[in-house]
Amino acid sequence: MSKGTYFIRTFGCQMNEHDSERLAGMLEAEGYRKTDSAEGASVVLFNTCCIRENADTRLYGNLGHAKAIKDRNPGMKIVVGGCLAQKDRSAIQERAPYVDVVLGTHNLASLPRLLRESDEAPSFEILEQTEAFPSALPARRNSTWHAWVSISIGCNNSCTFCIVPAVRGKEISRPVYDIVQEVQGLVEDGVVEVTLLGQNVNSYGRDIGGTPLFSKLLYALDEIRELERIRFTSPHPKDFRSDSVDAMANCRVVCEHIHLPVQAGSNAMLRRMKRAYTRERYLDKIAMVRDAIPDIAITTDIIVGFPGETEAEFEETLSLVEAVRYDAAYTFQYSARPMTEAATMDGHLPKEVVQERYERLAALQDGISYQRNERMVGAEQEVLVEGPSKKDPARLTGRTRMNKLVHFPTDGAEPGSLRTVRIDKANTHHLEGSLVEGRTTDAPRSMSLPLVASTTSACSGCA
Ligand code: SAM
Ligand code: SF4
């Protein structure tokens, strides 16, 4: 029996996106139907993030807007879940007393019960430990051809800037057979690409097998016929070892892309961040992976303006970016978070200093991203179609195995289809191409790029 509609707004990372699919799955199992607007919905759920401070501000802005809708539709229930709920706990109740349900990161499965209880009075529940691995819950997947698959939750590291361990708890890995079974089922339902999720995928399995099992997992998934692509996020540089690189190189399905977050280029900063690797060790890992997979695309995360960052230390980050020549970088201005060590450190920097460094870094990386893309002009690439281009419906958008976004003229291909596309033009953040006549899936999976624009100075091990 239909109980009305639900609307979910998700903030933050892919893990939250996937948690939202589980929350949606539970709501549908309860008889709610999805809607695309909060207006008129019976349940409006905010799945929150707290990794940086602006996430807090955005949630409370959104709650104010939801309250205005609830005033017009008093039967509507407002639910707040996820990391910010785990962090703020009763503060949500105090700041937004009209919220009906608050649940944290460890008790997603309680949503139906908490919603029922909120018929009587607002219902709030935050647990300290995970009740059940989210994969045990039903999911309403947002895509028919791509799926997020959690391999572990939580994190055992203690990076001094990061609130994740405080709100997501200790690392818990899922058994290999459980993951393989889920992926097998997804493939039978038409999924061709999966992204494996964990805060530190390379320590996956340490809590169940004593040693990391990530490479074994990749080999096991590689056996699944009709699975076309595996991606994963994120490996932690300290745990990224040669067995994972070998598995990446040897497994047909593993894409030629790695996101290896570096955070900073100076050893003193890496120490203060407690990242447990040095600049030199990080560069060795980059060389190792490029040695095994020469055309691999490499992306990263970088924080600018960590407490005490000197101009000289920041310049070491710039020089590391120049040495690695990333395909793309997600750059963040440091944001002090409660429950983290860095928040209490001396040397918090003025906003103008951080902004100026952030812009310098972005300009440097944009130039490198463009040059990395320019190398691809003339190459034929296997592209997995995502759908019509948002700006131009006469074109399709898809991704290469190296995770480069490509726009090309449509031939009516459905999302999830594979096409061979010749790259005609490079831009900083995407490529443009044309379909190679009569070919759908047989582009070489790892090709040698034509070096038409080899203006770049490559680091040791670069293609
Ligand atoms: N587990 C991943 C790793 O170790 O690389 C990172 C996960 S975190 C959700 C994603 C990114 O957010 C981090 O790599 C970092 O660059 C950024 N980040 C985390 N805490 C931050 C903070 N306090 N201020 C700014 N950026 C932050
Ligand atoms: Fe946060 Fe570090 Fe864990 Fe990544 S590895 S989630 S940055 S504590």
Side-chain angles (χ1 to χ4, degrees):
M1 193 192 70
S2 173
K3 287 192 178 161
T5 53
Y6 71 89
F7 170 76
I8 299 186
R9 174 92 199 268
T10 308
F11 300 87
C13 63
Q14 297 94 332
M15 298 190 197
N16 270 15
E17 293 286 345
H18 185 39
D19 283 350
S20 288
E21 292 181 333
R22 300 280 174 201
L23 293 162
M26 282 185 285
L27 289 170
E28 295 203 356
E30 288 290 300
Y32 293 93
R33 285 170 293 110
K34 183 175 187 264
T35 176
D36 291 332
S37 160
E39 199 73 54
S42 319
V43 175
V44 172
L45 191 156
F46 296 99
N47 190 11
T48 60
C49 166
C50 62
I51 198 89
R52 283 170 289 278
E53 195 183 1
N54 59 9
D56 294 35
T57 329
R58 281 174 71 201
L59 171 72
Y60 288 105
N62 275 281
L63 282 177
H65 181 64
K67 177 176 186 305
I69 299 175
K70 189 178 164 96
D71 287 344
R72 293 193 291 278
N73 171 17
M76 174 180 127
K77 292 205 173 164
I78 302 179
V79 181
V80 180
C83 295
L84 194 94
Q86 189 75 29
K87 168 177 95 61
D88 276 7
R89 301 169 179 239
S90 54
I92 295 181
Q93 205 169 6
E94 283 152 28
R95 283 183 69 174
Y98 48 85
V99 168
D100 298 278
V101 174
V102 176
L103 75 164
T105 53
H106 298 300
N107 56 335
L108 297 189
S110 307
L111 175 65
R113 173 176 55 79
L114 295 173
L115 263 179
R116 280 193 294 274
E117 288 172 6
S118 71
D119 288 342
E120 307 298 323
S123 105
F124 289 63
E125 186 179 274
I126 304 290
L127 302 184
E128 296 306 327
Q129 279 183 350
T130 296
E131 273 182 334
F133 208 96
S135 57
L137 306 172
R140 185 202 191 275
R141 304 243 173 213
N142 289 329
S143 162
T144 51
W145 54 270
H146 170 268
W148 309 109
V149 174
S150 272
I151 66 168
S152 61
I153 52 175
C155 180
N156 288 351
N157 293 319
S158 42
C159 305
T160 54
F161 52 82
C162 184
I163 196 172
V164 168
V167 292
R168 290 271 176 181
K170 286 281 171 209
E171 184 175 85
I172 306 175
S173 302
R174 232 176 125 188
V176 173
Y177 67 83
D178 199 10
I179 299 167
V180 172
Q181 214 171 32
E182 182 180 359
V183 175
Q184 184 76 58
L186 289 164
V187 169
E188 281 160 19
D189 288 344
V191 165
V192 289
E193 179 182 78
V194 297
T195 304
L196 307 176
L197 297 177
Q199 291 298 346
N200 178 0
V201 293
N202 288 108
S203 65
Y204 162 74
R206 193 174 274 151
D207 53 320
I208 47 180
T211 54
L213 298 172
F214 187 61
S215 53
K216 287 197 176 67
L217 176 66
L218 292 182
Y219 283 115
L221 294 173
D222 196 44
E223 296 290 314
I224 300 179
R225 285 162 63 91
E226 281 155 36
L227 178 61
E228 294 287 349
R229 293 179 171 190
I230 292 180
R231 303 187 181 282
F232 53 85
T233 190
S234 290
H236 190 298
K238 87 176 158 63
D239 295 310
F240 184 55
R241 300 207 175 82
S242 57
D243 63 319
S244 294
V245 176
D246 291 344
M248 289 178 71
N250 294 331
C251 291
R252 166 192 68 89
V253 285
V254 179
C255 287
E256 292 76 28
H257 168 227
I258 187 161
H259 182 71
L260 200 58
V262 68
Q263 314 298 356
S266 116
N267 283 335
M269 293 254 298
L270 289 168
R271 236 182 347 266
R272 295 205 297 281
M273 290 177 163
K274 291 205 176 140
R275 287 291 289 179
Y277 52 84
T278 60
R279 172 190 177 100
E280 294 72 25
R281 289 287 296 142
Y282 182 87
L283 288 172
D284 284 348
K285 302 212 175 192
I286 296 287
M288 171 173 73
V289 71
R290 280 198 169 129
D291 214 24
I293 310 168
D295 289 327
I296 194 162
I298 303 181
T299 57
T300 198
D301 290 344
I302 298 172
I303 296 179
V304 178
F306 184 79
E309 181 188 70
T310 63
E311 173 61 24
E313 286 170 342
F314 173 66
E315 282 171 14
E316 288 189 70
T317 296
L318 296 181
S319 77
L320 180 116
V321 166
E322 283 187 281
V324 176
R325 306 197 69 77
Y326 293 106
D327 290 85
Y330 297 89
T331 53
F332 304 104
Q333 300 194 6
Y334 169 74
S335 169
R337 305 313 293 131
M339 303 184 270
T340 64
E341 215 180 313
T344 60
M345 287 179 179
D346 293 335
H348 287 253
L349 300 180
K351 169 78 186 154
E352 325 73 82
V353 173
V354 181
Q355 183 68 31
E356 190 272 335
R357 288 181 187 169
Y358 178 80
E359 285 168 17
R360 257 195 290 160
L361 173 61
L364 172 66
Q365 180 54 49
D366 279 356
I368 295 171
S369 295
Y370 178 74
Q371 288 166 358
R372 297 286 300 166
N373 283 347
E374 213 182 13
R375 294 168 70 248
M376 306 197 67
V377 173
E380 286 184 10
Q381 294 278 285
E382 177 199 277
V383 173
L384 182 55
V385 175
E386 294 187 349
S389 150
K390 286 194 186 100
K391 286 198 185 135
D392 176 3
R395 297 203 294 173
L396 291 172
T397 292
R399 278 182 196 270
T400 67
R401 289 178 60 98
M402 293 163 78
N403 208 29
K404 307 260 181 192
L405 198 65
V406 189
H407 302 302
F408 56 99
T410 184
D411 66 346
E414 291 294 323
S417 316
L418 291 170
R419 288 291 181 270
T420 303
V421 174
R422 183 177 303 105
I423 306 305
D424 300 326
K425 183 168 184 262
N427 299 284
T428 306
H429 301 297
H430 71 274
L431 302 167
E432 292 169 51
S434 42
L435 277 162
V436 176
E437 288 296 322
R439 292 184 52 193
T440 50
T441 62
D442 52 350
R445 59 182 281 269
S446 175
M447 65 333 39
S448 276
L449 296 172
L451 295 174
V452 289
S454 54
T455 52
T456 60
S457 62
C459 72
S460 77
C462 272

